[in-house]
Amino acid sequence: MNTNVRKFSVEPYKPLQAAVTGLHGLLDHIGHSSRLEFVSLVTYSSQLEVLVAFTRELDVIKTELLNIKLSDKFNLIEALKGVEKLILMEWGSGIPCNVILVVQDNFVNMNSLCLPFSFPGNLFICSLGPEVLRNPLLPVTDENMVNFNIHLMQPEVPVSSHGVVQMFVKLGEKHYASWSGNLVCGNLNSKITLSPNPEPCFKVTDFEYNTYTVDNNLEICGFIELKHLGSPAAVSRHLVLPYTPPSPYHGKGHGSRHPSHSGEGDDESLDEGHTPSFCVLLHGALKVENMAALCQVGNDWYGVLFSWADSKKKSNLMLSFLEPGRDSIPWLGDMNALHIPLEAPADDEAFPVKPADKKSYSQNGVAWIRQAGIQSDIQKILRHARKIPEKTQQFYKELNRVRRAAICLGFLSLIEGLAAILDRECTLLPSSTHPACAIQLTHAAQALRDSASKDHKYSIAPMKMSF
Amino acid sequence: MLTPPSFLLEESLHPANHKTIFILDHTPEFGIQRESLIEFDFNKARAPGFIPLAPVAKSLWTCSVECAVEYCRIAWDLFPTGKLIRFVVSDWKSHVLNSWNSSQQTLTHLLNGLALIGVPPPPNSDPDPSKVYSINHGLQAAVSIMCESTDQQHEKRTSLNENTVPVVNRCRVICITSVTNRDKIVELENKMLSELIVGNKFAASSDLLIPVDLCEFIILNVGPTLLENIPRHKVANILESEMHSVKTNGGLANKLTSLILKHYNLASTTVTGIPMKEEQNASSSANYDVEIFHPAKAHETLFKGSSVDVDQIKSLKEGFEYYTVTLKWSTPRGLTASEMHNCTAMHRITPVDVNSRPSSCLINFLIGGRSVMLEVIRRGGLKSLSHLLASHSGQIYMHSLAIGRSPHEDPPSISEGTGGRVTDYRITDFGNFMMQNRLFPIKGSKVQSSTLKRTKTRLDRHTKFWPMTISSTVIFNYKQYMEPILNIMLQPELRESDVVQCKQCIFSLIGNEAKHEPLHIMNTGQRGKGVKTSREEQYKQLWAELEAFLRAHCVTDKHINVLNCLLEVRNRDASDTFDKVDVDLALKELDQLNAKVERASVIRATTDSPLSPDANFHSTHSKTVLELWVSKFCRQKPRPDFVGLSTAQLMPGGRLKAKLYPQFKERPAPPGKGGKASSRVPAIIGD
């Protein structure tokens, strides 16, 4: 998601006009290359003023640009803070946004800016002043910055309206070029574009860092049922749209509308609509079968294609870029170690891939740091004790668990205490209790006191009785 | 393009938490039972005449062991690899309980080691003056194991890849001991530093060992005298130290909990309002809270965007030094496993109080395969689902969900773009294709290359002849007549019985045609273009497409065999009926065929096998009847297969390429047998 917040504080007539012309050109370019882009327009004088909230109606922004009034007050730091807050409120921290800052001159110490923003994206500082700015080294404080870049843009000197317009053209061509590539599955393929544009991904692990880039050929490796896929984390999500070759576009003449809505254009789009597209076929089948296609999007980088419907029930093909690397979905195992077997294994056999280790919460260990932990373990033993002989096995199992843990932790006084508790429990048994109960309790208490039971590998066995 | 500044990487790369060493004081003093009495007599309300039990107490040793083990439990639950912890026990000498190897990085291994070490010896039990009880033995051992490479460090150090970042050996030592005054702390630091200098010198002269670049030395001073804490300070370039004084049991556990959150950058979430049924009273349910730990990044979506009022959900945990974020349990409704949530990150979790009843209730709920959404209240009172708790293969994950506005809102429908108006896609067939090409993990050993390299050939073949719409195909619409040929031909290798089955299928079609049986479209629920075609036309289209299909799949001898069978029977069939047809009709038929072939050539892949009809033959009309006769019927007996075909490779466009005289280059024939060898060269074998 590239989102533009434009910042204005342009004083005399000439730079403002040039900026408006340049931005109109840029908006035309955006409207053409990235139709789903949201743009917002803000200014700052004494406080941040949102002139146009985020919208895809770029004409509204164009109109509002013409109404910009100048003011003599400006505070860049406060303005940027306001912009950051605005974007975080609207989009959160995960969606890349571009901030295009248009200022007249270099009256700010760049080092004092609170940058980078806590969202990924770019900040373009477009300085229209006559002086050439030194390339500012901006402060970096946050690990998030790796996906945030700051660009300083200036028109060529001597500054002219034409130079300003050219600067915005350059910005548009470089940062708002629409991505196009191929979605491939064996011999079937579709020319596609992704919205928003895919970005390279930077990843640091304990031992290395890597920049992963997106291939132009997104090749499907095979298919996976959604129930096996879970909801894996994605670094970004993109709509997969069939690529439509650009209609003739005139960068100049910002007032003109796209010429495509005439008769001939319609015929063409009608034709395209009736040419079978692999994209549409794939989407239909993924939706019906509740499946996803795993595709390789870069070196050691995978993506997942699935059918996605927004709240309005319009269905679309979505591509999630997974975390780069081979272990992005742990329960599928190594992503580079999948294959299509000649015969599919039984449904529950293959997935999920069982991890080597068992987590503490499924290990039945003890947790005695808090007293309640010890107390509930002992109460459990006593509960079973009173139900001997039905619960003899459970009684010894719990007894041995506590005893073994106590040995490991060097908590020998607990074992003695447990013996005492069992002895006392014996004396408290009501007369209706099964006789085996007293015998087993006495046996267990003795065994606990026995020195052999200080060995953690030893297990106390029930006394054999022939009742 | 995206290269972060180097100092930033230095902080993220090679963290100290890759190698942690616990040094546990096992001197007689730690065996003494101190305070922390545990009341475990629950029978106070019982009948008269019972003997009250004395409470039990933990020793300092037990306290430090259980806290250190808890530290490992949390670390290993959250990070299955790469976060290694070793235990060193120090009494009159040092004992190392495990190695850096992952097989020894488990609680079971550690607990077994601790059981063998046992409790510290009682004071003055051993009058042997040569046995000096001290924590210093542990420091020495810790330094020598810091210099041992872990598997990951070793792999990176020996990597031949020039992009590998040089390994920085950062380590953390957590020493649980007891000292009486600050001078002793300085003594410990100096001892550690001198051991490090000696150890590094030794490591530098060894190929296998790795010198320590930075050691974080954390002294946890437990005991009766509470010294003032010493914050982190630099002792030397390679040693930073800090000291925390704690009371036994509770104090030590709390301190280590705060430290582990810092050491691994973790955070706490309290899931509130979990409805649980009471065992005794199943009709009513009470609400419980469960606290979990997880990497702090799981909260990023909440704090990075300012749409959530942090102060409202974040609170200091009672009795502890850290904050917990409270999120509300949201009863899952209508959630299916196959739903794809917009998940931006996922992290493993572990319950803080692993055995408490509410914790195990939540854990069992999740392990059982159900999932839980967590809800956060945003500024302005709007509720959002911010996280999803779910287990995958017995491990519980916290998925962070995107809570901001979606940039995908109001997307263009897929039906508006290219191919959107086509209504007769072979959706069901593509569904079957997907089912046949499902991915599964390879069982067994480590693998080379990538998944795509492994599956590409198969996908290429399965899609080689794959018309996308119902109206552009015939054979796939008449599946009941065509199976099993359509499936069998996709197999990489055919058995003799497969060939027979395919041939039978062809023969039965021939039979149907001879009996003038019309072809019925199988009712698959798919919308087909209801184009009415005559029976003859149907068969003609069918044969032409089947031939193209078979040609596309000529990968082995046996596959070609099936194609040959088709060509053969079609020709014979034509000859049988020839005498009833006059030449004019034959020519007309030929024209139709010609037109047909041109149309079909869009989807057909041709081969240059000796039996394929001559492409020129169809496109020229200037042939005489004799030529037609000769070319069509004078090869009743097909020649045996060109041997090269069996070894032929499929080229783009369906052409086959066979290498002639392959052994000439590979194995120069010995001079004596030259003549013999050349006679075995496959050549065109005519009749």
Side-chain angles (χ1 to χ4, degrees):
Chain A
M1 173 79 226
N2 292 318
T3 305
N4 309 297
V5 176
R6 303 237 153 60
K7 173 73 220 63
F8 267 91
S9 174
V10 188
E11 274 166 295
Y13 67 99
K14 201 184 153 201
L16 174 63
Q17 271 185 355
V20 168
T21 314
L23 285 170
H24 273 207
L26 180 61
L27 286 168
D28 281 340
H29 179 85
I30 292 172
H32 189 76
S33 65
S34 337
R35 272 190 306 135
L36 301 179
E37 190 81 8
F38 287 95
V39 182
S40 169
L41 177 69
V42 302
T43 61
Y44 187 94
S45 56
S46 56
Q47 62 174 42
L48 193 80
E49 194 184 343
V50 180
L51 299 181
V52 182
F54 282 99
T55 177
R56 283 181 183 148
E57 303 284 325
L58 302 186
D59 281 348
V60 178
I61 303 222
K62 281 195 207 165
T63 316
E64 198 59 38
L65 268 173
L66 299 171
N67 301 336
I68 294 246
K69 292 185 193 80
L70 294 176
S71 103
D72 49 0
K73 270 191 280 178
F74 181 57
N75 182 333
L76 182 56
I77 294 171
E78 287 305 312
L80 287 181
K81 275 187 193 165
V83 164
E84 180 176 29
K85 200 175 158 199
L86 176 82
I87 289 177
L88 289 176
M89 281 296 276
E90 185 104 16
W91 304 104
S93 59
I95 293 163
C97 297
N98 288 341
V99 177
I100 300 170
L101 171 77
V102 184
V103 287
Q104 196 195 350
D105 38 30
N106 175 25
F107 52 87
V108 177
N109 174 10
M110 292 289 179
N111 285 312
S112 65
L113 298 182
C114 305
L115 290 171
F117 292 135
S118 45
F119 52 84
N122 296 290
L123 169 65
F124 302 97
I125 301 171
C126 303
S127 173
L128 307 185
E131 290 166 48
V132 177
L133 283 176
R134 292 181 320 276
N135 201 12
L137 272 176
L138 293 147
V140 275
T141 48
D142 192 288
E143 66 180 78
N144 189 44
M145 76 72 56
V146 289
N147 285 322
F148 191 87
N149 292 293
I150 298 158
H151 313 259
L152 183 66
M153 313 222 28
Q154 281 188 288
E156 278 171 29
V157 214
V159 178
S160 66
S161 291
H162 178 73
V164 171
V165 171
Q166 282 310 306
M167 179 187 79
F168 284 112
V169 168
K170 247 188 256 168
L171 196 160
E173 279 169 359
K174 186 149 182 231
H175 296 278
Y176 289 92
S178 73
W179 183 92
S180 73
N182 277 310
L183 181 64
V184 182
C185 177
N187 286 298
L188 299 169
N189 68 74
S190 242
K191 204 156 168 47
I192 55 158
T193 177
L194 295 178
S195 172
N197 276 355
E199 305 276 346
C201 185
F202 183 83
K203 190 181 172 188
V204 190
T205 58
D206 284 359
F207 287 95
E208 56 191 8
Y209 59 91
N210 262 318
T211 302
Y212 296 84
T213 46
V214 180
D215 282 349
N216 267 37
N217 262 5
L218 307 179
E219 250 187 277
I220 292 177
C221 315
F223 303 86
I224 297 178
E225 282 155 280
L226 282 181
K227 66 176 180 201
H228 294 312
L229 200 60
S231 287
V235 291
S236 58
R237 297 177 131 208
H238 307 263
L239 285 173
V240 180
L241 303 168
Y243 176 78
T244 341
S247 48
Y249 162 66
H250 308 287
K252 288 179 182 177
H254 47 81
S256 72
R257 293 298 306 134
H258 304 304
S260 61
H261 293 290
S262 54
E264 200 187 316
D266 277 349
D267 277 356
E268 267 172 31
S269 70
L270 207 74
D271 256 19
E272 270 162 21
H274 287 116
T275 314
S277 154
F278 169 59
C279 246
V280 184
L281 171 69
L282 175 69
H283 168 261
L286 290 175
K287 188 177 174 181
V288 171
E289 299 286 334
N290 270 325
M291 288 181 90
L294 185 76
C295 68
Q296 183 164 336
V297 296
N299 192 21
D300 273 352
W301 195 10
Y302 289 91
V304 171
L305 285 155
F306 57 98
S307 163
W308 169 84
D310 74 346
S311 51
K312 285 171 192 157
K313 299 291 167 209
K314 261 192 203 168
S315 202
N316 262 290
L317 191 59
M318 183 75 97
L319 172 60
S320 274
F321 285 0
L322 300 172
E323 287 269 354
R326 336 167 34 150
D327 52 354
S328 43
I329 310 181
W331 50 94
L332 296 189
D334 182 348
M335 302 292 276
N336 275 351
L338 298 171
H339 73 148
I340 303 171
L342 285 176
E343 281 195 20
D347 202 33
D348 298 325
E349 253 173 46
F351 291 122
V353 173
K354 302 275 178 300
D357 58 328
K358 223 175 174 191
K359 298 299 176 190
S360 69
Y361 43 78
S362 37
Q363 262 184 350
N364 200 25
V366 303
W368 290 342
I369 290 180
R370 292 160 194 83
Q371 282 210 15
I374 301 186
Q375 285 167 352
S376 70
D377 280 347
I378 290 173
Q379 270 173 326
K380 199 170 184 185
I381 293 177
L382 293 180
R383 258 203 322 274
H384 291 318
R386 290 174 203 131
K387 289 178 189 159
I388 289 176
E390 292 82 30
K391 297 270 182 184
T392 307
Q393 292 307 322
Q394 287 90 331
F395 168 74
Y396 280 99
K397 189 180 158 220
E398 288 301 319
L399 188 74
N400 279 313
R401 169 176 169 263
V402 167
R403 190 187 57 91
R404 200 172 293 125
I407 294 167
C408 292
L409 298 176
F411 196 2
L412 301 184
S413 58
L414 180 69
I415 299 181
E416 285 149 32
L418 196 55
I421 252 187
L422 294 182
D423 276 344
R424 213 255 321 263
E425 195 63 25
C426 240
T427 67
L428 298 174
L429 291 173
S431 56
S432 59
T433 322
H434 195 281
C437 188
I439 296 171
Q440 291 292 5
L441 287 187
T442 316
H443 164 73
Q446 265 169 9
L448 284 174
R449 292 199 178 94
D450 189 8
S451 64
S453 88
K454 302 291 183 288
D455 177 0
H456 72 291
K457 283 180 183 149
Y458 171 82
S459 268
I460 300 176
M463 177 175 259
K464 287 207 174 75
M465 287 182 294
S466 49
F467 281 111
Chain B
M1 176 176 14
L2 290 173
T3 320
S6 54
F7 70 85
L8 179 97
L9 278 175
E10 267 166 40
E11 273 178 23
S12 307
L13 287 171
H14 311 296
N17 62 25
H18 176 56
K19 288 166 104 174
T20 301
I21 298 162
F22 269 101
I23 307 178
L24 302 179
D25 196 327
H26 196 247
T27 56
E29 200 197 339
F30 265 65
I32 300 166
Q33 286 164 25
R34 288 183 194 277
E35 0 168 5
S36 62
L37 293 178
I38 296 151
E39 206 57 55
F40 74 152
D41 198 352
F42 320 108
N43 290 341
K44 294 224 163 101
R46 281 285 192 100
F50 84 9
I51 322 116
L53 292 172
V56 294
K58 288 177 189 167
S59 61
L60 270 183
W61 168 251
T62 301
C63 289
S64 46
V65 165
E66 67 181 2
C67 293
V69 167
E70 174 73 0
Y71 187 96
C72 298
R73 179 188 79 79
I74 295 169
W76 291 338
D77 268 3
L78 299 181
F79 306 100
T81 55
K83 306 296 176 193
L84 309 177
I85 304 173
R86 288 179 76 170
F87 272 43
V88 174
V89 172
S90 181
D91 40 45
W92 59 272
K93 61 173 195 159
S94 62
H95 313 262
V96 179
L97 298 191
N98 59 344
S99 73
W100 293 127
N101 190 288
S102 61
S103 65
Q104 301 198 358
Q105 296 283 318
T106 66
L107 290 181
T108 320
H109 185 94
L110 273 185
L111 288 169
N112 282 341
L114 288 164
L116 292 175
I117 286 288
V119 292
N124 310 321
S125 64
D126 196 345
D128 185 351
S130 67
K131 291 186 175 176
V132 183
Y133 287 97
S134 160
I135 194 75
N136 289 351
H137 306 298
L139 298 188
Q140 196 180 4
V143 168
S144 72
I145 62 181
M146 275 189 263
C147 294
E148 292 172 16
S149 292
T150 64
D151 288 351
Q152 288 99 320
Q153 287 181 327
H154 183 74
E155 190 197 317
K156 292 292 164 192
R157 288 185 90 203
T158 53
S159 165
L160 298 174
N161 185 346
E162 55 189 35
N163 293 330
T164 308
V165 190
V167 173
V168 181
N169 190 20
R170 291 197 184 89
C171 307
R172 178 173 287 135
V173 174
I174 302 174
C175 175
I176 303 176
T177 184
S178 179
V179 294
T180 43
N181 56 53
R182 287 185 79 126
D183 294 345
K184 296 271 190 204
I185 300 286
V186 177
E187 252 175 56
L188 275 179
E189 289 172 354
N190 290 338
K191 176 70 184 162
M192 189 62 159
L193 182 59
S194 63
E195 291 292 349
L196 276 170
I197 292 168
V198 174
N200 275 356
K201 203 175 263 176
F202 183 66
S205 63
S206 152
D207 279 346
L208 283 175
L209 299 177
I210 175 169
V212 178
D213 292 299
L214 181 67
C215 168
E216 283 182 22
F217 188 32
I218 296 159
I219 303 165
L220 295 176
N221 176 30
V222 268
T225 30
L226 274 184
L227 299 177
E228 199 185 323
N229 288 349
I230 305 171
R232 173 80 67 93
H233 60 280
K234 205 171 197 143
V235 180
N237 271 336
I238 51 167
L239 181 64
E240 289 179 8
S241 158
E242 63 189 82
M243 190 277 279
H244 305 269
S245 265
V246 285
K247 283 193 204 153
T248 49
N249 202 16
L252 184 60
N254 286 9
K255 178 52 76 181
L256 266 175
T257 306
S258 311
L259 286 177
I260 194 172
L261 294 181
K262 207 169 99 194
H263 291 166
Y264 295 93
N265 193 19
L266 308 179
S268 149
T269 294
T270 302
V271 181
T272 190
I274 306 174
M276 290 182 198
K277 291 241 183 333
E278 297 293 342
E279 229 172 304
Q280 269 78 31
N281 190 2
S283 60
S284 76
S285 77
N287 287 343
Y288 290 90
D289 290 3
V290 173
E291 190 194 350
I292 54 176
F293 283 154
H294 49 78
K297 273 182 176 287
H299 281 158
E300 213 165 61
T301 45
L302 296 179
F303 298 148
K304 279 279 181 69
S306 46
S307 61
V308 172
D309 188 354
V310 174
D311 299 332
Q312 209 184 326
I313 57 168
K314 196 172 173 179
S315 58
L316 195 65
K317 161 113 175 177
E318 214 180 309
F320 286 82
E321 302 167 8
Y322 66 89
Y323 286 87
T324 185
V325 165
T326 304
L327 298 173
K328 200 173 168 309
W329 158 290
S330 168
T331 308
R333 62 177 87 80
L335 272 181
T336 54
S338 57
E339 195 168 338
M340 279 285 278
H341 295 278
N342 188 356
C343 165
T344 58
M346 56 197 184
H347 299 95
R348 289 179 175 81
I349 65 132
T350 191
V352 176
D353 193 358
V354 69
N355 280 351
S356 78
R357 217 171 61 83
S359 292
S360 31
C361 246
L362 177 65
I363 298 296
N364 290 336
F365 183 87
L366 294 168
I367 298 268
R370 283 176 284 183
S371 53
V372 174
M373 305 293 276
L374 301 182
E375 187 181 85
V376 67
I377 296 169
R378 301 172 69 176
R379 262 181 233 277
L382 196 71
K383 286 174 186 171
S384 282
L385 296 174
S386 64
H387 294 88
L388 166 75
L389 292 177
S391 85
H392 305 279
S393 67
Q395 310 211 353
I396 302 174
Y397 293 81
M398 187 173 187
H399 299 246
S400 308
L401 306 176
I403 53 174
R405 187 175 167 187
S406 162
H408 303 302
E409 68 183 37
D410 200 16
S413 166
I414 196 152
S415 60
E416 289 163 26
T418 306
R421 310 252 184 102
V422 178
T423 53
D424 67 335
Y425 286 108
R426 291 172 54 212
I427 303 274
T428 314
D429 287 348
F430 201 74
N432 292 336
F433 163 79
M434 296 195 309
M435 287 302 279
Q436 284 165 6
N437 290 287
R438 276 180 299 168
L439 289 165
F440 291 99
I442 295 176
K443 281 186 187 139
S445 56
K446 231 183 165 182
V447 292
Q448 302 289 323
S449 87
S450 72
T451 295
L452 182 62
K453 280 195 185 132
R454 221 168 288 123
T455 62
K456 193 172 169 46
T457 325
R458 181 185 163 103
L459 290 173
D460 274 350
R461 241 177 64 71
H462 278 226
T463 53
K464 193 151 194 263
F465 189 96
W466 218 98
M468 288 200 280
T469 58
I470 294 169
S471 51
S472 62
T473 179
V474 179
I475 53 172
F476 293 102
N477 298 339
Y478 295 127
K479 258 196 223 112
Q480 74 272 40
Y481 303 101
M482 306 307 299
E483 290 302 5
I485 205 165
L486 298 179
N487 259 322
I488 287 181
M489 287 301 282
L490 292 178
Q491 289 169 15
E493 297 283 341
L494 298 187
R495 290 162 302 183
E496 204 51 62
S497 61
D498 293 329
V499 177
V500 171
Q501 278 196 51
C502 290
K503 286 184 175 175
Q504 272 168 357
C505 185
I506 294 171
F507 292 143
S508 104
L509 272 169
I510 292 277
N512 283 345
E513 190 181 19
K515 279 183 268 171
H516 303 296
E517 271 183 25
L519 295 165
H520 294 289
I521 295 220
M522 206 171 36
N523 188 11
T524 54
Q526 281 185 350
R527 281 170 295 174
K529 290 262 163 72
V531 185
K532 290 274 178 210
T533 38
S534 68
R535 196 182 66 237
E536 288 79 13
E537 192 60 28
Q538 277 182 336
Y539 275 104
K540 234 175 257 172
Q541 287 176 358
L542 184 118
W543 291 121
E545 196 183 349
L546 183 59
E547 188 185 327
F549 173 80
L550 294 179
R551 281 181 193 283
H553 290 290
C554 285
V555 287
T556 68
D557 246 5
K558 296 209 166 69
H559 287 91
I560 295 166
N561 210 335
V562 177
L563 171 67
N564 285 345
C565 165
L566 174 80
L567 297 173
E568 211 176 303
V569 295
R570 289 289 294 144
N571 283 343
R572 188 182 297 138
D573 179 49
S575 79
D576 287 344
T577 53
F578 184 75
D579 30 5
K580 298 167 203 159
V581 191
D582 64 29
V583 176
D584 273 344
L585 212 67
L587 278 173
K588 204 172 150 198
E589 190 187 341
L590 210 59
D591 276 352
Q592 280 170 349
L593 202 70
N594 190 10
K596 179 72 210 154
V597 165
E598 269 169 15
R599 204 185 73 88
S601 67
V602 184
I603 43 171
R604 89 187 240 174
T606 57
T607 70
D608 280 342
S609 94
L611 289 177
S612 61
D614 188 357
N616 296 328
F617 163 70
H618 288 305
S619 56
T620 45
H621 293 263
S622 58
K623 295 209 172 185
T624 63
V625 177
L626 178 67
E627 275 171 322
L628 283 174
W629 176 273
V630 168
S631 58
K632 214 172 175 188
F633 306 119
C634 284
R635 37 176 202 186
Q636 295 267 340
K637 261 193 177 174
R639 283 171 293 189
D641 278 350
F642 176 42
V643 184
L645 265 182
S646 55
T647 54
Q649 285 177 316
L650 202 59
M651 303 295 289
R655 289 172 176 275
L656 286 165
K657 182 180 164 189
K659 195 172 177 187
L660 291 177
Y661 315 116
Q663 60 270 66
F664 268 22
K665 205 170 181 186
E666 282 166 23
R667 218 190 301 147
K673 292 177 180 175
K676 225 179 171 185
S678 67
S679 71
R680 275 192 270 117
V681 168
I684 297 171
I685 303 162
D687 24 7

